[in-house]
Amino acid sequence: MPSTSSPVANRRDRAAQFARLDRIANIFDSRFRIAGIRFGWDSILGLVPGIGDLVTAAPGVYIIGQSARMGVRRRVLARMAVNTGTDMIIGGIPLVGDLFDVGFKANQRNVRLLKEELDRDGTFDTCATMTQAHSS
């Protein structure tokens, strides 16, 4: 059965979803700033041994899942999975992993990959407009 939604509505839905994922990435990767260094809940929760890095993998998995629903190519999804996996594995190393989390920012990398995909099919022009409106 053909879709009843218009291409414009679909673009708006994708733009709204992108803006939501961008907010999640910023909260977990760069919500706070101390001495010019940006970090987020990923770095803070990662300090909790064992469970912290598992908990902070959830937003990364969510971003990947939503990107898949938005039609992102498998190759790009695989790159996102590598980013999230790297963040989780190296982030699990005490202290060194926590410093790595501050610099690596896997969620923002994945949102950037999503942006490139949306640029590729012409959707990001709408996303950029919504993101700028949200930032103002």
Side-chain angles (χ1 to χ4, degrees), residues 48-78:
V48 178
I51 190 124
D53 292 300
L54 288 175
V55 169
T56 60
V61 171
Y62 178 74
I63 290 169
I64 294 167
Q66 292 303 304
S67 297
R69 289 186 66 212
M70 293 171 75
V72 170
R73 294 175 293 164
R74 287 184 194 159
R75 181 176 80 204
V76 177
L77 293 172

Side-chain angles (χ1 to χ4, degrees), residues 5-125:
S5 66
S6 71
V8 173
N10 188 31
R11 267 201 287 270
R12 285 187 185 135
D13 292 344
R14 290 176 81 185
Q17 182 64 15
F18 174 83
R20 196 169 21 258
L21 296 175
D22 189 43
R23 279 192 304 275
I24 290 168
N26 286 325
I27 288 167
F28 277 87
D29 288 347
S30 62
R31 171 77 170 97
F32 309 104
R33 178 189 292 188
I34 294 178
I37 299 170
R38 288 197 145 307
F39 61 97
W41 285 107
D42 186 4
S43 300
I44 295 168
L45 294 172
L47 292 169
V48 178
I51 190 124
D53 292 300
L54 288 175
V55 169
T56 60
V61 171
Y62 178 74
I63 290 169
I64 294 167
Q66 292 303 304
S67 297
R69 289 186 66 212
M70 293 171 75
V72 170
R73 294 175 293 164
R74 287 184 194 159
R75 181 176 80 204
V76 177
L77 293 172
R79 286 178 60 196
M80 290 177 166
V82 167
N83 287 340
T84 299
T86 300
D87 185 43
M88 191 174 124
I89 291 168
I90 296 177
I93 301 169
L95 297 177
V96 172
D98 299 316
L99 292 174
F100 176 79
D101 278 341
V102 171
F104 188 66
K105 303 185 186 323
N107 297 311
Q108 288 183 326
R109 287 172 185 257
N110 289 345
V111 168
R112 199 168 23 254
L113 289 170
L114 174 59
K115 177 198 173 292
E116 290 169 6
E117 274 296 284
L118 296 176
D119 273 343
R120 189 174 164 268
D121 73 4
T123 302
F124 190 73
D125 56 345

